[in-house]
Amino acid sequence: MRFRYRAPAAHTADQGLLDSWGRNEWKTRDSWRSLRILSEFVEGFDTLADLPPGVSVFGSARSKRDSPEYQLAQEVGAALARAGYTVITGGGPGLMEAANRGAAEADGLSVGLGIELPFEQGLNEWVDLGIEFRYFFARKTMFVKYSEAFVVLPGGFGTLDELFEALTLVQTGKITRFPVVLMGTDYWQGLIDWIRATMVAEGKVGPNDLDLLCLTDDPAVAVRHIIDSAEARTTEQESVQETAVAQQAADASAPDPKG
């Protein structure tokens, strides 16, 4: 008898959308599912539209509260809040909780963008403003749209996903200058060394692409880098605007060639 694989029932909305099993149901279900996806974007835009400048902080949900990295994440959250930034995390436990906690204890605004998972976690207790998403791609849009920078603490696949998506968006020009800070030199140095020794050496990325990353253990350095990047972006935008105005004035005062 030939064994036939039978897929398990979908546990999350993402799985229901992306699994190839049940292909015969796509035509009837996916058109309606698109309305649910649209509703997530609408809720996210409406809820977050009036946020002060924000920084998204990523890191492992598995880190323990007595770990050095938890303490580091808490210090990062507090430093960002004191600098006037809204702290945005995935809203879960571990380093997300630590960053939210640091922001809340420093009297800053603490935001959590949760995600539906088979192992439900819920938002941590330090979140002031929270949204629960069903779809990863809708949630990712909110992280980028409402942040001026990413701070990336030690983490796993999800953390790496957010890190490399941000780098890709900057490298390809999909978003403007966007600082990405890696917190934890011991954790991230091996990755940086591999990118330099393998990806750069083989021409897969350019040498200047590593300049997109700031590696540090100091929350004050991280915050300073984010502030400096914001000021540089503002100066660059003002320069572009001044050049455009000057060009318009020059065009207006130039003699008409038809004369």
Side-chain angles (χ1 to χ4, degrees):
M1 182 176 68
R2 186 177 179 181
F3 174 75
R4 183 177 180 183
Y5 178 77
R6 188 175 298 275
H11 294 293
T12 67
D14 268 324
Q15 187 175 351
L17 174 65
L18 301 174
D19 264 3
S20 60
W21 300 96
R23 188 182 295 264
N24 60 322
E25 299 176 350
W26 288 359
K27 189 172 183 180
T28 57
R29 291 192 177 183
D30 282 358
S31 57
W32 292 105
R33 186 176 280 124
S34 65
L35 297 177
R36 175 180 286 180
I37 293 169
L38 178 61
S39 73
E40 293 214 341
F41 282 103
V42 171
E43 180 184 2
F45 295 151
D46 281 350
T47 303
L48 304 175
D50 295 324
L51 280 185
V55 173
S56 288
V57 181
F58 301 99
S60 177
R62 304 183 184 188
S63 298
K64 305 301 182 184
R65 290 178 177 173
D66 59 354
S67 66
E69 58 197 29
Y70 186 99
Q71 179 65 34
L72 178 61
Q74 195 170 341
E75 292 173 1
V76 168
L80 288 168
R82 287 194 292 268
Y85 289 104
T86 299
V87 173
I88 306 171
T89 79
L95 302 188
M96 293 175 281
E97 174 191 286
N100 285 135
R101 178 177 179 178
E105 291 181 340
D107 295 324
L109 181 57
S110 176
V111 176
L113 307 181
I115 186 70
E116 175 193 56
L117 294 171
F119 40 94
E120 290 294 338
Q121 297 174 342
L123 297 175
N124 68 69
E125 62 181 304
W126 301 97
V127 169
D128 298 318
L129 177 64
I131 308 175
E132 291 274 12
F133 290 88
R134 293 185 178 92
Y135 297 100
F136 267 112
F137 53 84
R139 179 182 184 238
K140 284 183 174 183
T141 299
M142 303 306 154
F143 279 128
V144 175
K145 182 173 178 59
Y146 295 103
S147 296
E148 295 192 357
F150 279 2
V151 174
V152 187
L153 291 133
F157 288 157
T159 302
L160 288 172
D161 178 46
E162 299 291 355
L163 166 62
F164 282 107
E165 181 165 42
L167 293 177
T168 301
L169 291 172
V170 176
Q171 186 193 54
T172 57
K174 292 296 185 180
I175 55 177
T176 53
R177 186 192 305 268
F178 191 88
V180 179
V181 181
L182 297 178
M183 297 293 305
T185 55
D186 288 344
Y187 192 84
W188 295 113
Q189 189 63 59
L191 175 63
I192 298 296
D193 292 343
W194 177 79
I195 292 173
R196 181 178 291 110
T198 303
M199 299 180 78
V200 174
E202 295 185 6
K204 303 298 190 295
V205 299
N208 293 335
D209 288 336
L210 279 173
D211 295 339
L212 299 174
L213 295 167
C214 171
L215 177 63
T216 183
D217 292 311
D218 188 343
V221 171
V223 173
R224 186 71 258 168
H225 177 70
I226 293 169
I227 293 173
D228 288 347
S229 295
E231 292 175 349
R233 183 170 61 249
T234 300
T235 300
E236 183 178 321
Q237 291 171 345
E238 290 175 348
S239 177
V240 169
Q241 186 175 7
E242 289 172 0
T243 300
V245 170
Q247 185 61 51
Q248 289 175 354
D251 292 343
S253 61
D256 189 343
K258 297 180 180 179

